[in-house]
Amino acid sequence: RINAWDALLKARAIENLSYAVGVNRVGQDGNGIPYSGHSGAYNFKGETLVFSEDREDVLYVELDAASL
């Protein structure tokens, strides 16, 4: 489902003409369920502002309301 996650985050930004930020966990939980990360932020055109694939990371992005 990670492909859907990536595509739909971009689509939400475009269809709502807004920023979209998706935060997903990474690693394995106590039940052995794996999580693949792919946290990111996108602008109203669906362009990637920041993205972290499959590792634990801290991301920073400045969102500018005037550019919307």
Side-chain angles (χ1 to χ4, degrees):
R1 293 191 39 96
I2 200 64
N3 289 331
W5 166 263
D6 290 339
L8 292 173
L9 277 175
K10 292 178 186 182
R12 297 295 85 86
I14 295 165
E15 75 180 352
N16 293 301
L17 294 174
S18 67
Y19 292 105
V21 177
V23 179
N24 197 10
R25 65 192 290 183
V26 66
Q28 205 172 75
D29 70 12
N31 296 314
I33 298 171
Y35 295 88
S36 55
H38 282 237
S39 295
Y42 304 89
N43 69 13
F44 67 99
K45 297 177 187 176
E47 298 168 336
T48 304
L49 301 175
V50 292
F51 183 76
S52 180
E53 197 161 322
D54 58 356
R55 65 188 180 282
E56 187 175 330
D57 213 348
V58 176
L59 303 174
Y60 296 91
V61 63
E62 187 171 324
L63 306 178
D64 177 27
S67 71
L68 293 174

